[in-house]
């Protein structure tokens, strides 16, 4: 399973990129709004900052409701950073979003269908040609459903029918989500930087380092 970072914060993106675990970046209107910068400018900055990833998702804005409006926005987004091939157009899981997905896929543009909460939605998005489908597991857990089970079912479905869409497990809230979606067959987990930090840490690692440091002071040199 690969890691994408789920943020529009450049500092966090740089930190994750530096440690070499990053395969992509996902953003959404809420994440961009938190940054207080112009959307297109931030997308360009991100693309420049992480040249060696496979995908940077930029979402069409919530006021684009028709396929035509989504495609018009996508056509502007794909010009950013001299037509950067990593740009991935994130589209909502609606009938209009699917239509835009099919159109953009045929044009060779990468797509990420977002706000997926059922297996059937994932199946439709994959059939519309989505490069990535993004089930939101944390938000399902929030309403007492099982987000990881959804990811497992989508992974099984894609295996049975030999479908090439990659599953981005999104709305990942903690390290246990990461382990469980990896075991469930997600291709990618998109996570905030705080979760990457949590994944790396263990109290016994810290204790072990402290002990090595204390013992090393007594070593003959
Ligand atoms: O990738 C989707 C993600 O940003 C949503 O996460 O925590 O707002 O449900 P959350």
């Amino acid at each position: 399973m690969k890691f994408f970072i789920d943020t529009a914060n450049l500092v966090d993106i740089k930190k994750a990129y530096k440690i070499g675990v990053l395969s992509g970046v996902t953003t959404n209107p809420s994440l961009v709004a938190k940054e207080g910068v112009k959307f297109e400018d931030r997308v360009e900055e991100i693309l420049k900052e992480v040249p060696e990833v496979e995908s940077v998702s930029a979402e069409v804005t919530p006021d684009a409701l028709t396929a035509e409006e989504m495609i018009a926005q996508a056509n502007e987004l794909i010009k950013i950073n001299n037509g950067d091939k990593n740009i991935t157009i994130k589209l909502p899981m609606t009938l209009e979003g699917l239509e835009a997905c099919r159109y953009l896929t045929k044009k060779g543009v990468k797509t990420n269908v977002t706000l997926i909460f059922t297996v059937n939605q994932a199946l439709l998005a994959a059939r519309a040609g989505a490069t990535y489908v993004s089930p939101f597991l944390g938000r399902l857990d929030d309403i007492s459903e099982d987000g990881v089970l959804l990811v497992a079912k989508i992974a099984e479905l894609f295996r049975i029918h030999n479908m090439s869409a990659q599953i981005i497990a999104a709305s990942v809230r903690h390290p246990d989500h990461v382990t469980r979606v990896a075991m469930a067959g997600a291709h990618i987990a998109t996570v905030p930087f705080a979760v990457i930090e949590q994944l790396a840490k263990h109290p016994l690692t810290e204790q072990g380092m402290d002990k090595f440091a204390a013992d090393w002071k007594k070593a003959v040199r």
Side-chain angles (χ1 to χ4, degrees):
M1 186 179 76
K2 294 172 276 187
F3 287 104
F4 286 8
I5 190 166
D6 194 27
T7 186
N9 183 279
L10 266 191
V11 174
D12 282 353
I13 291 168
K14 283 183 201 177
K15 283 193 283 188
Y17 192 56
K18 203 163 65 169
I19 59 174
V21 298
L22 206 60
S23 298
V25 180
T26 51
T27 64
N28 65 38
S30 307
L31 293 171
V32 172
K34 270 206 270 186
E35 297 300 312
V37 291
K38 199 166 160 242
F39 172 47
E40 296 80 2
D41 293 348
R42 180 47 53 93
V43 171
E44 179 163 11
E45 287 172 307
I46 295 172
L47 286 165
K48 286 190 168 140
E49 207 54 60
V50 293
E52 286 172 25
V53 299
E54 68 176 55
S55 167
V56 172
S57 280
E59 188 158 344
V60 295
T61 59
D63 51 343
L65 296 176
T66 66
E68 289 71 25
E69 287 164 339
M70 293 177 202
I71 290 165
Q73 286 195 7
N75 282 334
E76 293 307 310
L77 289 168
I78 60 175
K79 290 184 202 153
I80 295 179
N81 204 27
N82 301 318
D84 196 310
K85 291 284 168 259
N86 286 342
I87 190 93
T88 300
I89 305 301
K90 205 170 178 188
L91 299 157
M93 177 55 230
T94 59
L95 294 178
E96 297 287 334
L98 292 177
E99 186 182 331
C101 178
R102 167 54 65 199
Y103 176 89
L104 292 167
T105 299
K106 280 197 171 160
K107 293 268 174 209
V109 177
K110 285 192 259 195
T111 51
N112 174 2
V113 177
T114 190
L115 290 167
I116 288 196
F117 294 96
T118 68
V119 175
N120 288 334
Q121 288 180 320
L123 178 57
L124 281 174
R127 282 293 176 227
T131 318
Y132 305 102
V133 299
S134 291
F136 275 34
L137 56 141
R139 292 193 195 180
L140 276 175
D141 290 359
D142 290 345
I143 58 161
S144 302
E145 291 197 26
D146 188 339
V148 175
L149 182 62
L150 172 65
V151 171
K153 284 181 179 172
I154 297 170
E156 179 67 2
L157 178 90
F158 286 3
R159 262 196 304 273
I160 292 169
H161 296 287
N162 201 19
M163 300 177 98
S164 62
Q166 294 191 60
I167 303 165
I168 303 180
S171 185
V172 168
R173 304 274 174 76
H174 48 69
D176 191 46
H177 269 157
V178 175
T179 309
R180 289 169 63 216
V181 295
M183 302 304 292
H187 304 90
I188 297 150
T190 190
V191 298
F193 188 72
V195 172
I196 298 177
E197 277 183 317
Q198 286 179 303
L199 292 174
K201 285 186 179 166
H202 193 280
L204 289 179
T205 305
E206 279 155 35
Q207 273 178 38
M209 285 178 64
D210 289 346
K211 178 159 172 36
F212 284 152
D215 291 346
W216 186 241
K217 285 189 186 143
K218 301 175 214 152
V220 176
R221 276 177 253 183

